[in-house]
Amino acid sequence: MTKSLEEWIKLAKERQAPVLDGEPEEGQWYRIPVLNAVCAGGSPYWGYLRKGTEPNLIVCFSGGGVSINEYTAARPNRLGVKGETFYSAEDTMPFNDLILDIGIFNDEPDNPFRNWSHIFVSYSTGDFHVGNGDYHYTSPDGSPAVLHHHGYRNYRGLMDQAVKYLSPQAKLLITGASAGAFGASALASDVTSYFPDCHDVTCCPDSSLLLYDQWQAVAQNVWQAEERIWQSLHSPDICLDWMRNLYAEKGNNIKYLYTCSIRDALLAQYQHYIDYDTLELTREQCLQFEKDLKGMIDVLKAEIPGIGLFLTDSPAAGIDQEIPGTQHTRILDFNFPLSVIQGISLRDWIWSGVNGNIYDVGLELLNMEES
């Protein structure tokens, strides 16, 4: 039975993680309020920490859309408000507590990551976690407004606090879903700077492909990211450029993984907005996404030797059967251990990858004949 908005709000309150006060207990999630950090609309920001029993760490960047211009800035995801929305603002922050026990965070005995520590970088700024300024725009009612693109400030403030409670790490996995996947590719090198003695690092973006020939201008002028973040953006593929830059800087000192569904319905819908100015999901756009993904994969394989790929084809829920869209993201989803291709689950593939056994799964799913 589908829950109402009121029921979800009630459940989020019931499962709210405690605010960290003193030393964290092992196995317990905590909210970490970040001093002077704000969400898109100016309300206080917080992230999350869970201290594990093993000297290994996952830094996971949350998803939640993106804003690239005045039109998108004026349309955040507000509770109970219908219509076009492009990014998650402060209204959605409390719901992060509901995903602290699913996907890669699940603490069931069969999850090999269950005893790792976790830093969960929540997201409410519409800037792929790299923003560093305020974007002024005009709201639909004509009044002046501001979107606080403070994603990078928030991330740094959270990391500065969270690492105080962690011992040196033997293994480090940097990942994220959707907007968080873009953030993971952009900030993986930055994350490693917090753990200079960790020499076993893996970067794994989950679902991050959007093509736009103005990414550098957006990162520089809208998000006001630092120069080292935007200066590497030269192609329409922002995640590809950030992964290229990561490899140029770190080379084989990092293990590289990438996972995506072959006709990602949510990314295809946003791509339709970029291409045609309407937030719409069409059959043609899904098929074009598959072509674009194949092109991205060809470059990743050519330019990042040893990268591992995991592709899935599960149909997206709740869409017209004539539209061949596939599910968006898996790492922070109930189906994380159930995403099985060729008898291999996404969870087991990532676990193999962080332990040095990197391989490809699902490349044969790219069927270019249909498109």
Side-chain angles (χ1 to χ4, degrees), residues 146-160:
V146 60
L147 195 170
H148 299 289
H149 283 307
H150 288 197
Y152 184 72
R153 299 184 192 182
N154 295 352
Y155 144 76
R156 290 288 298 194
L158 173 63
M159 292 295 292
D160 289 345

Side-chain angles (χ1 to χ4, degrees), residues 241-313:
D241 279 346
W242 277 332
M243 291 290 281
R244 284 168 161 160
N245 192 59
L246 180 62
Y247 183 74
E249 180 180 347
K250 296 294 185 179
N252 294 328
N253 292 320
I254 287 182
K255 297 187 287 289
Y256 303 89
L257 305 173
Y258 179 84
T259 179
C260 194
S261 72
I262 59 173
R263 292 182 294 273
D264 187 308
L266 197 61
L267 291 176
Q269 184 180 33
Y270 199 103
Q271 187 67 57
H272 195 277
Y273 168 75
I274 292 175
D275 294 344
Y276 303 107
D277 294 325
T278 59
L279 196 62
E280 183 181 355
L281 181 63
T282 67
R283 173 182 176 81
E284 293 73 22
Q285 196 73 62
C286 290
L287 297 176
Q288 183 61 48
F289 183 92
E290 185 174 5
K291 289 183 179 180
D292 296 337
L293 180 62
K294 184 178 186 303
M296 180 181 183
I297 285 173
D298 288 344
V299 178
L300 285 172
K301 297 296 284 186
E303 298 190 11
I304 304 180
I307 190 172
L309 303 163
F310 191 103
L311 305 183
T312 63
D313 64 348

